[in-house]
Amino acid sequence: MDEPTAEPLFTDDPATMDLGAKVDQAWSDFQDALAAALPALPDPVAALDITLDPTAAEQGDALYTVTLDLSQPGELRAFAVSNRMLPRAHQLSMKRLGDVMALGWSPPGVVPGSGERFGLVLPRGEAVRAAKIITRTLREVYGSPHPAFLLYAAVSEEGKALATPPLGAARAEEAEGIPQLGHLNHALPLADRVALVLAAMLRVTPDSLPVDQDGDFGIRSGSAMVFVRVREQPPLVEVFSPVLTEIPENQRLYQRLSELTHRMPLGRLYWAGNTVWAGVPVFGRDFQPSHLMLAVEVMTGLADELDDRLVSEFGGRRFFSDAETEPVPAAPPGTDERIGQYL
């Protein structure tokens, strides 16, 4: 009798933290939203600026901006900053300059109105192509790690701010009361800086952030809940989620969590108090908004997908679930109730 073929471990398991796939999806969503937004913008629009937030992305004084000019009937022009406008430490490498040309940008000064910027001219009807070029420029040339690091604003020919359709995870600059990370005061207490970063990500005012009695910020992600806790001594920000509750202790669960944690490039999974937890720490000393933003992006995606996967294997309850339709099964056969935690 042939030996059974071992199934590859977790090839599609969200708990392996395929962050690359999640980031790819976020960029795809941004590109689709931009392509849909261009034809819907008021006509004429003098400029739609999309800028990599220099503070959030730790880019110092460098302003990587792509500007779309829709003021000409039937024509779409775009301009992207070149090395002539960037500090020496943040100028584009020869490889990235080659990428700019490969994407279809013209050298500075070639396209009318470009000045010291790269230029691009397309028919107004090629919004999808324009969105693809701009998205790749922001990501591959300027190095934006995620659309959540982008700020955007549209202005009329008179300089008046215009309402703009949402662009995926990017953040609208003109949203009243929503903080912009480029103005983050690093002298503020850690908890206040964390609140400002979360408010900017969620596009809400800091005062409207949900805070529980323990002082933890709560973010719902599908059927999961992600909490952000700030500790002052030592300075630490914990991003964590109770993935499943009412899970009995057993050896198979520990083995599964250990395997998944080993496959994760950051964070950990563990069992405590009949609950499976996921957590990603962020250092509070020399706090960087980009680190917290990445941890939140990772955890919200992970928790919402992981609870579905593990509930099918071990039972228990999701944070947001129908208690009447989601029964909690008994511990699997062979459970050893005396086994201690693996962490």
Side-chain angles (χ1 to χ4, degrees):
M1 182 176 179
D2 294 336
E3 291 289 335
T5 302
E7 184 177 350
L9 286 176
F10 321 128
T11 54
D12 65 340
D13 198 321
T16 61
M17 294 292 293
D18 186 359
L19 181 58
K22 297 181 185 302
V23 173
D24 288 344
Q25 185 59 53
W27 280 111
S28 178
D29 293 342
F30 170 81
Q31 178 179 306
D32 291 344
L34 179 59
L38 292 179
L41 288 172
D43 194 12
V45 173
L48 170 62
D49 290 330
I50 306 174
T51 302
L52 173 58
D53 188 330
T55 300
E58 303 172 44
Q59 296 290 357
D61 296 330
L63 284 178
Y64 297 101
T65 300
V66 173
T67 299
L68 291 101
D69 181 351
L70 305 177
S71 61
Q72 300 300 315
E75 188 174 83
L76 186 154
R77 295 183 182 183
F79 309 112
V81 299
S82 70
N83 281 347
R84 300 180 187 181
M85 308 171 67
L86 295 170
R88 179 173 292 276
H90 297 283
Q91 289 184 350
L92 304 176
S93 66
M94 292 301 295
K95 179 184 182 303
R96 291 196 174 184
L97 289 174
D99 292 339
V100 170
M101 297 297 105
L103 287 171
W105 294 95
S106 298
V110 173
V111 174
S114 62
E116 296 185 330
R117 300 171 295 180
F118 300 111
L120 179 72
V121 180
L122 292 173
R124 190 71 174 266
E126 294 193 18
V128 173
R129 182 184 173 193
K132 182 176 181 179
I133 293 173
I134 291 167
T135 299
R136 292 188 61 184
T137 301
L138 291 164
R139 183 181 185 183
E140 300 171 15
V141 176
Y142 293 155
S144 177
H146 192 282
F149 291 75
L150 300 176
L151 304 172
Y152 64 93
V155 295
S156 67
E157 292 182 321
E158 294 76 27
K160 181 180 178 181
L162 298 173
T164 309
L167 300 182
R171 294 171 284 127
E173 287 192 80
E174 72 275 7
E176 184 177 355
I178 298 178
Q180 301 304 320
L181 299 185
H183 306 294
L184 186 65
N185 183 355
H186 292 273
L188 291 173
L190 179 59
D192 292 343
R193 284 178 283 162
V194 167
L196 290 172
V197 173
L198 294 177
M201 288 189 70
L202 300 174
R203 302 178 190 156
V204 299
T205 61
D207 291 341
S208 66
L209 286 171
V211 183
D212 64 17
Q213 60 185 6
D214 296 322
D216 298 336
F217 300 101
I219 303 171
R220 179 166 184 172
S221 179
S223 58
M225 191 71 176
V226 173
F227 295 98
V228 179
R229 174 176 297 171
V230 181
R231 298 185 184 275
E232 295 289 349
Q233 294 297 331
L236 183 71
V237 183
E238 297 176 305
V239 183
F240 62 95
S241 174
V243 178
L244 287 177
T245 61
E246 300 183 37
I247 295 288
E249 184 181 24
N250 68 85
Q251 176 64 38
R252 189 167 65 91
L253 176 63
Y254 291 141
Q255 181 178 357
R256 176 69 161 141
L257 297 181
S258 181
E259 291 171 346
L260 296 177
T261 297
H262 179 70
R263 297 284 297 276
M264 292 166 59
L266 71 164
R268 64 171 183 152
L269 298 166
Y270 60 98
W271 179 94
N274 289 333
T275 299
V276 172
W277 299 85
V280 176
V282 176
F283 290 116
R285 193 179 303 278
D286 298 324
F287 173 74
Q288 298 295 334
S290 58
H291 299 169
L292 176 59
M293 295 170 76
L294 181 60
V296 171
E297 289 285 344
V298 168
M299 188 56 62
T300 51
L302 169 69
D304 185 33
E305 296 182 49
L306 185 59
D307 61 0
D308 295 332
R309 177 60 59 93
L310 290 183
V311 76
S312 66
E313 298 182 38
F314 299 98
R317 297 196 194 284
R318 303 172 180 87
F319 193 93
F320 295 103
S321 63
D322 186 340
E324 295 182 358
T325 61
E326 192 170 276
V328 182
T335 296
D336 184 347
E337 299 294 345
R338 297 169 297 175
I339 304 248
Q341 296 181 36
Y342 76 98
L343 290 176

